[in-house]
Amino acid sequence: MPTAPQTTDELYQALQENDRRPFGRTRTVTAEELVDAAEQFAEPRPLAHALLALQKAYNYGSEPRKSPVVFARVLTLFDEQPDVFDERLRHTLFWRFKWVALALVALPEMPLASLRQWLTEMRDRYEKAGLGLQPYYGQAYQLAVHVGEDTDLAYELWAGRARTELSDCEACEICGRALHHLAAGDDEQALRTWEPVLAGKESCQEEPARSVSYALLPLLRTGGADRARELHLAGYRACRRNPSMSGEVGRHLEFCALTGNEARGLELLAENRNLFDDVESPLDQLSFLTGVEVLLQRVEALGHGGLPAAGYPGRTWTVAGLRAEVRGRADDLAARFDTRNGTTAHADRRRSRLDRAPLLDALELTLRTRGLDDVTPAAVPAPGPAPAAVPESLPELIARARASAAEGHPDATAHWARLRTLVAAPGYVHPDDPAVGPLVRLRADLLADEASGVGEKDLFDEAAALYEEAAGLYDDAAEPGRAAVARASALLAAAQIAPQDADEAEARTAALTDAHASMVRLHEAATDLTPYQEARLLRLRATALGLRFQTSHDEEHLAPVLAEVDLLDAFAVRHDIVGQISGALLLRAGTHALRGDLPAAVSGTDVLLDRLRAHGPAWHLPHALGLRGRIQLGLRDAQAAHADLAEALRLAAAWPADAVDTARLHADLAQACMRLGRPDEALRHLTRSAELELRHGSRFDAFCTYSNAAQLSLDLGRIEDCIALLDSLLAEPDVTAGELDDRLVAQLRLARARALHAGEDLKAATVEYAALAAESAGWDDDPGSHAMIAAETAVLLAESGEFGRAREAADQALAAHAREPRYEQLSSCLRELARLQAQQQGAEGLADALALLADAGRIADEARTAGYEARGRDLDSALAYEHGRVNAYASEYETALTALDKALTLLGEPEPEPEPESHDRDHVGEFAECVRLAAVVEGLYLERPEPALARLDAAVSRLTALGHTEETESLTSLAARLRDEG
């Protein structure tokens, strides 16, 4: 706290500000400082408020040892100066007796007799104050459950009594009753009791998060897996990283362990590593650690005990090591509680949780479904069929690797990988075999294979260097043909290196032109080329020109590509090199597609597929089908595209994972599914594509794809899915370490903020938006994005009633907009701010609302001057409509009606039924809404029903005649109301 409050008003303001902070060390330390500050004032009431605020911080900060001490001071103050306590303070005082009872239960060092003594004190105080005893019996029941004795009698004494003003809230009492049924083994009755809380009808500080965590397993046992999944996503988010809800976190970890989601469980454990250190309550520790142990036990049983796990600070942990540590600590805590209580209740409950078998083999909890293999420290390739057996004989292995590479067979990757390991091993002895050749040639082969791999990852500078090194070794091995191929490959890789400080397309086009010319010279100078090597050179030449045409889109570059492809095709057919025949046909079809001649491209892929099915190679089929699927998407034949892409995926499963770009196939299938109106299927393909990209090391592309998946899930209304996906991504090590592109991370955070907003978690959304707005203010190279983020932040602040801060954010957006215009976004933001202010403040907020609309008017003028055409609503008609709505909220009805008439004039009469995807449908909806609001103002508020009815009847007739019957429903309903009231 920068400066201690000097007056009681400053103290109360500081207490209010601290009350808005999340529970944790910052809030607790500030509360302690405010108690010290309150003690300087002669008036005792501020001290009472400060002490109660401190107790609240201890209670929800999971520090039960300190809560009773603070409450003792409050109680002493009450006994000595009861007049200090007004009705509100008195209510809080008696309410907090329950907090102390629960805090004492959570401390195993506190004797059982002391717990009962405190309950007696509570009963005596309640009786003396004339208060009902139902809250006392509620605490007596809680103690009975904790000890494990006489619970049925204690339950009847509590549940059979009428509630009082000091009873726990409805949600908490519902949870208590449901847990009683759960302990009796009646899952269905427990769930029926819980329903009002699980449905969101009853809630409080701890609910429904607490009930959700307990209801997950009963839901699974009664066939409610889908609902358990939904509640897990929402419930976990409400308790994560919260020390006072560590037990709830533990139950979510247990849920993951028992549903085949062990990898997600480890991810959530890492997100909650703070709970190992921040939870001061021994009872909460026991509950949390038991849930952790259930998860770790399951992971270890599946053979992954060596995986890293997030645990106690100060050292690194494996699953097995952390499990042993957790087991020892949890067993000790359970023993301490049972010793204090004289029962075995806690050890028995621990054993029951640890002995549970998985309830489901697999339950897809999130859009990012991963297994334990995906979280191993080393990179794990995507699953696929095992390659052909690697020969044990070294000469045979070398020969097989070279033969596989020559025909482009996917098994070559496994062969080269095995050889790379053997050659790198100490004591490697190269075979003395003329058929194998010298070691220098093998090293060149390995370098060329490595270069190919890094080139596929677009690391062109590394690829070029490796190819050049391989070429030198081939020279040393007296293999001039192979050296020529390696040098040509280096030329192609070097030409694709992104140019610096130049027009990228122009520079790359020139580089590819030069590379092709150098390849031709290299080819002409080469001697003793085998047919395979000559075909490789021809393929590289054609590829260089194909890339040039793709980069330049210059028609003059088309004919040279096709000429090179014809050379390759003729040569490959003459020498029966099937892989290069397929390559030539693929290049030709792809070139037609780049030109935009999609029918010719489809015909070309048809020829290619016929040949592949007849002559092979079979591993080219998925790629060819994928190309035809993409071309069909270009032809808007989504059904044909889906069929081809699905078949490509099916065939790809027969080959090693790195043989086919399955991530691309899934992404293309997602596009086809969206066009077919199957968004949920599209979402599955998007997430699968992203996960494959991650496995292959393409993290930037993967996160971009995941961002698209998050947006789609939000569009589908799957808000919790969206948030869970983004939370998982933002917890990735390279994100938290700041190694991923900061703008991409900001995009993910923005998507999360929007999802939180859509899920009505305004507090969390506001925090994220405000942080993003502050961060994006420094993006001098991208003021437009800052304008967008600041505008969205302003709207969210206004929704929360913080109009001063909203205006500040809007001013930031306007300043950024002046540098890089965002006409529609800023106009929409300002109109919405005006609407919210007028709606919430009425006439009092009218002046500020009109000032916002004046800013929106200036933006509309700027857009008109700049010749900007809005993609959505017309800025002028939307502004006039908002003037009408704002004035109506402020009871300025004549002004409102004038503005709405202006909006109708600007909108104009609707046209006949448009095409389904036409923007005119939005225009019709705007027209109908503007007529409706004008009629409301005119007929209801200005009490002029005749002209209002004339307006409505004319609009209904016009819309009906033009086929817009759906838009007339609200108008006919209003007209009927006006006639009834008239």
Side-chain angles (χ1 to χ4, degrees):
M1 191 168 59
T3 305
Q6 300 302 307
T7 66
T8 55
D9 287 343
E10 290 181 1
L11 176 72
Y12 286 129
Q13 183 179 352
L15 286 170
Q16 289 177 354
E17 290 173 356
N18 198 39
D19 194 50
R20 289 194 288 267
R21 291 190 175 98
F23 292 104
R25 286 307 303 161
T26 300
R27 176 167 175 163
T28 300
V29 169
T30 303
E32 290 170 341
E33 292 173 347
L34 290 174
V35 168
D36 293 339
E39 289 175 332
Q40 71 178 309
F41 303 116
E43 186 181 352
R45 181 169 294 171
L47 178 60
H49 281 284
L51 287 169
L52 289 170
L54 178 57
Q55 187 194 15
K56 185 177 181 180
Y58 286 147
N59 185 71
Y60 290 110
S62 189
E63 297 189 63
R65 288 183 174 85
K66 298 178 181 179
S67 175
V69 177
V70 175
F71 187 72
R73 291 186 63 186
V74 181
L75 198 56
T76 299
L77 186 59
F78 175 73
D79 290 338
E80 293 174 350
Q81 303 181 65
D83 293 342
V84 167
F85 289 74
D86 57 18
E87 189 60 33
R88 179 167 167 264
L89 278 176
R90 184 175 178 276
H91 181 277
T92 303
L93 173 81
F94 281 99
W95 184 279
R96 299 289 178 86
F97 273 90
K98 298 182 291 182
W99 285 13
V100 174
L102 293 173
L104 296 176
V105 165
L107 304 174
E109 66 269 24
M110 188 62 61
L112 187 60
S114 297
L115 272 60
R116 290 177 171 147
Q117 182 180 347
W118 177 254
L119 289 181
T120 301
E121 173 80 6
M122 177 180 174
R123 177 172 183 149
D124 292 345
R125 293 266 188 174
Y126 271 49
E127 287 180 330
K128 183 179 178 180
L131 300 170
L133 293 180
Q134 195 260 13
Y136 157 76
Y137 282 107
Q139 292 306 307
Y141 170 63
Q142 294 292 337
L143 180 58
V145 170
H146 173 79
V147 173
E149 288 183 341
D150 302 323
T151 54
D152 289 339
L153 175 60
Y155 177 78
E156 293 302 327
L157 289 171
W158 161 61
R161 277 178 163 74
R163 287 172 47 77
T164 75
E165 63 178 12
L166 288 169
S167 296
D168 286 345
C169 73
E170 287 279 6
C172 286
E173 292 210 340
I174 285 171
C175 184
R177 291 194 295 272
L179 288 175
H180 181 73
H181 296 307
L182 189 63
D186 193 342
D187 286 344
E188 292 185 351
Q189 181 59 43
L191 292 170
R192 283 194 295 272
T193 303
W194 257 318
E195 184 54 32
V197 175
L198 300 183
K201 297 176 182 177
E202 299 289 346
S203 62
C204 69
Q205 176 84 26
E206 298 169 328
E207 295 290 353
R210 181 166 177 257
S211 291
V212 163
S213 71
Y214 280 109
L216 296 173
L217 299 187
L219 281 168
L220 291 180
R221 290 192 291 261
T222 56
D226 288 342
R227 192 168 190 206
R229 174 190 179 277
E230 295 171 5
L231 290 173
H232 162 69
L233 294 179
Y236 168 71
R237 185 164 57 84
C239 63
R240 63 178 186 162
R241 297 196 294 266
N242 185 344
S244 69
M245 304 201 83
S246 57
E248 284 76 3
V249 171
R251 286 186 284 278
H252 281 280
L253 297 178
E254 181 177 358
F255 175 72
C256 290
L258 300 181
T259 56
N261 287 278
E262 298 84 5
R264 173 166 170 80
L266 291 177
E267 181 181 295
L268 301 190
L269 180 62
E271 189 176 17
N272 289 277
R273 71 182 72 210
N274 66 298
L275 299 183
F276 286 103
D277 204 33
D278 291 351
V279 179
E280 298 291 337
S281 165
L283 191 59
D284 289 346
Q285 286 179 19
L286 175 59
S287 181
F288 171 64
L289 292 177
T290 301
V292 172
E293 187 178 351
V294 171
L295 171 66
L296 298 176
Q297 174 180 272
R298 178 64 181 158
V299 174
E300 191 171 3
L302 292 173
H304 292 274
L307 281 178
Y312 294 95
R315 59 164 286 188
T316 57
W317 296 93
T318 63
V319 165
L322 181 60
R323 182 194 170 201
E325 180 72 18
V326 164
R327 182 174 60 241
R329 295 193 187 209
D331 282 344
D332 178 65
L333 284 169
R336 289 174 63 198
F337 280 113
D338 285 343
T339 299
R340 189 267 302 275
N341 299 336
T343 64
T344 60
H346 290 277
D348 293 344
R349 289 167 192 160
R350 249 181 67 72
R351 190 176 306 109
S352 176
R353 291 177 70 180
L354 290 167
D355 288 348
R356 282 191 185 115
L359 296 174
L360 291 175
D361 291 334
L363 174 63
E364 187 174 309
L365 290 183
T366 70
L367 297 174
R368 195 182 181 197
T369 302
R370 299 190 298 166
L372 289 170
D373 286 339
D374 297 308
V375 294
T376 51
V380 177
V390 177
E392 294 186 9
S393 162
L394 188 55
E396 185 183 354
L397 176 59
I398 295 171
R400 183 79 62 84
R402 288 169 175 164
S404 298
E407 62 177 336
H409 197 288
D411 284 346
T413 301
H415 297 328
W416 290 128
R418 175 62 180 153
L419 282 169
R420 191 170 284 108
T421 301
L422 292 174
V423 172
Y428 170 76
V429 177
H430 191 68
D432 184 11
D433 184 339
V436 170
L439 176 59
V440 67
R441 179 190 164 184
L442 179 57
R443 292 193 185 280
D445 291 338
L446 293 172
L447 282 172
D449 175 68
E450 184 181 354
S452 175
V454 297
E456 289 174 1
K457 296 178 181 178
D458 295 342
L459 301 174
F460 299 118
D461 51 349
E462 294 182 32
L466 288 168
Y467 276 127
E468 284 290 356
E469 186 178 354
L473 294 180
Y474 280 131
D475 286 337
D476 294 342
E479 292 282 352
R482 297 182 190 280
V485 171
R487 287 194 171 92
S489 300
L491 287 168
L492 182 61
Q496 296 179 80
I497 298 172
Q500 301 294 322
D501 301 324
D503 180 278
E504 184 172 341
E506 184 178 340
R508 184 164 290 178
T509 299
L512 288 164
T513 300
D514 293 343
H516 175 262
S518 298
M519 288 180 196
V520 172
R521 290 193 295 272
L522 183 68
H523 190 175
E524 291 171 348
T527 57
D528 299 326
L529 292 171
T530 65
Y532 156 74
Q533 292 163 354
E534 189 154 1
R536 281 286 309 277
L537 287 171
L538 287 169
R539 176 74 173 272
L540 288 166
R541 287 166 50 175
T543 300
L545 292 186
L547 289 171
R548 183 180 70 171
F549 180 54
Q550 180 180 354
T551 302
S552 70
H553 300 289
D554 186 338
E555 280 290 321
E556 292 184 2
H557 292 156
L558 173 63
V561 180
L562 296 176
E564 285 282 23
V565 169
D566 289 343
L567 283 175
L568 170 61
D569 188 25
F571 184 88
V573 168
R574 186 163 64 250
H575 294 279
D576 195 25
I577 306 175
V578 293
Q580 296 297 358
I581 297 173
S582 166
L585 294 174
L586 196 64
L587 278 168
R588 184 179 288 124
T591 301
H592 287 306
L594 286 172
R595 186 191 184 191
D597 188 353
L598 299 185
V602 169
S603 298
T605 53
D606 289 344
V607 171
L608 169 60
L609 286 165
D610 288 343
R611 177 172 179 85
L612 289 174
R613 290 184 177 113
H615 304 288
W619 57 88
H620 282 197
L621 274 169
H623 187 46
L625 283 165
L627 175 60
R628 190 168 72 176
R630 286 189 289 279
I631 296 169
Q632 298 286 12
L633 284 173
L635 289 168
R636 297 186 178 277
D637 190 346
Q639 194 64 56
H642 187 280
D644 278 342
L645 293 165
E647 177 68 3
L649 265 184
R650 187 186 69 79
L651 294 175
W655 303 103
D658 56 357
V660 181
D661 188 358
T662 48
R664 174 79 181 271
L665 293 176
H666 279 288
D668 291 335
L669 259 174
Q671 187 178 350
C673 290
M674 287 299 295
R675 294 190 184 181
L676 291 171
R678 288 144 61 174
D680 289 301
E681 184 181 342
L683 189 56
R684 287 195 296 273
H685 284 298
L686 273 179
T687 54
R688 181 62 178 156
S689 174
E691 202 62 38
L692 288 169
E693 287 169 334
L694 271 186
R695 287 177 175 178
H696 295 148
S698 303
R699 297 191 67 80
F700 184 89
D701 292 339
F703 278 87
C704 288
T705 305
Y706 268 131
S707 179
N708 293 335
Q711 185 58 55
L712 176 56
S713 64
L714 186 57
D715 293 342
L716 292 173
R718 296 173 61 173
I719 295 169
E720 293 299 338
D721 278 321
C722 177
I723 295 171
L725 171 61
L726 292 165
D727 283 344
S728 175
L729 296 174
L730 292 168
E732 283 283 318
D734 54 351
V735 176
T736 57
E739 297 170 0
L740 194 68
D741 180 83
D742 62 337
R743 302 300 169 85
L744 178 55
V745 173
Q747 181 178 325
L748 297 173
R749 289 170 56 201
L750 180 60
R752 183 176 184 274
R754 287 169 174 163
L756 290 168
H757 187 192
E760 300 182 353
D761 189 345
L762 298 187
K763 185 175 181 180
T766 301
V767 170
E768 189 69 271
Y769 265 119
L772 280 168
E775 184 178 316
S776 61
W779 295 352
D780 293 334
D781 61 330
D782 189 10
S785 291
H786 175 57
M788 175 189 67
I789 293 170
E792 292 187 37
T793 304
V795 171
L796 187 59
L797 288 167
E799 288 181 3
S800 303
E802 298 188 53
F803 293 109
R805 292 179 63 196
R807 179 74 239 199
E808 291 174 4
D811 287 341
Q812 289 183 29
L814 285 167
H817 159 81
R819 298 170 57 199
E820 186 176 335
R822 290 289 188 272
Y823 300 111
E824 283 185 83
Q825 289 159 322
L826 264 293
S827 175
S828 176
C829 160
L830 293 165
R831 297 194 314 266
E832 180 65 3
L833 291 180
R835 181 192 72 80
L836 288 166
Q837 189 147 17
Q839 182 184 45
Q840 294 183 34
Q841 296 182 340
E844 183 183 339
L846 180 59
D848 288 337
L850 292 177
L852 289 162
L853 292 180
D855 286 336
R858 281 190 287 275
I859 287 176
D861 292 341
E862 292 171 10
R864 197 180 312 106
T865 301
Y868 177 82
E869 292 187 14
R871 296 181 185 140
R873 298 176 67 187
D874 173 73
L875 300 188
D876 291 307
S877 62
L879 179 60
Y881 171 81
E882 212 59 67
H883 268 288
R885 188 155 57 164
V886 162
N887 278 285
Y889 282 134
S891 302
E892 297 289 338
Y893 300 122
E894 292 289 0
T895 306
L897 186 59
T898 300
L900 292 168
D901 282 333
K902 178 182 178 182
L904 285 166
T905 300
L906 291 169
L907 281 169
E909 290 284 324
E911 298 298 327
E913 181 74 37
E915 294 297 319
E917 296 183 3
S918 170
H919 290 300
D920 289 343
R921 293 202 68 83
D922 294 333
H923 171 264
V924 171
E926 284 185 66
F927 173 82
E929 167 56 19
C930 200
V931 169
R932 186 200 67 79
L933 184 55
V936 167
V937 171
E938 191 170 29
L940 297 179
Y941 296 122
L942 291 174
E943 299 181 350
R944 300 202 292 258
E946 291 81 5
L949 282 168
R951 180 193 300 274
L952 289 168
D953 291 343
V956 169
S957 297
R958 174 68 175 165
L959 292 172
T960 302
L962 296 176
H964 303 299
T965 55
E966 184 179 339
E967 288 81 359
T968 65
E969 293 176 4
S970 63
L971 304 183
T972 54
S973 175
L974 177 58
R977 178 184 172 186
L978 287 171
R979 288 190 171 93
D980 289 343
E981 294 181 1

